[in-house]
Amino acid sequence: YEQLFAKPKMSEKLLNKPPFRFLHDMFTATMGKTGLDKIFEGDDLNSKSFEDKDSKLAFLVKLITLTEMVIGEKIDIKPTLVLAG
């Protein structure tokens, strides 16, 4: 990912246990560089719009669903556990 964008900075600590803001920033930066910036719109692109657990969880579910569609297989992941860290 470092070839795509300068921010957010990749570090072992963030990649091992990424906070929601890091995941969101990494995803939106990737979308902007790959031309996929039309998939998510409005509040989904503004990290400040995610103030509560439910809105963060809904975003993660959308992101996981999109990733599954792109790779063509089910991902064994629980968004609630991702959100819990």
Side-chain angles (χ1 to χ4, degrees):
Y1 286 101
E2 288 180 332
Q3 293 89 8
L4 289 176
F5 45 79
K7 286 186 176 182
K9 291 284 186 193
M10 302 289 149
S11 72
E12 188 173 338
K13 179 182 176 184
L14 288 174
L15 292 169
N16 280 330
K17 203 167 188 181
F20 177 81
R21 174 69 187 263
F22 177 77
L23 292 172
H24 184 270
D25 289 350
M26 196 169 78
F27 175 69
T28 54
T30 302
M31 281 185 13
K33 291 291 184 173
T34 59
L36 296 174
D37 53 350
K38 304 290 186 237
I39 295 173
F40 285 68
E41 298 177 328
D43 287 342
D44 282 339
L45 300 176
N46 182 359
S47 62
K48 293 179 182 176
S49 66
F50 299 98
E51 296 179 0
D52 61 14
K53 186 177 180 179
D54 290 337
S55 63
K56 291 176 183 179
L57 188 59
F59 179 83
L60 287 174
V61 168
K62 283 186 198 178
L63 181 57
I64 292 166
T65 302
L66 172 64
T67 304
E68 289 174 338
M69 288 171 42
V70 169
I71 66 172
E73 62 185 66
K74 181 88 170 119
I75 300 172
D76 185 23
I77 189 169
K78 292 183 173 60
T80 53
L81 294 179
V82 172
L83 200 55

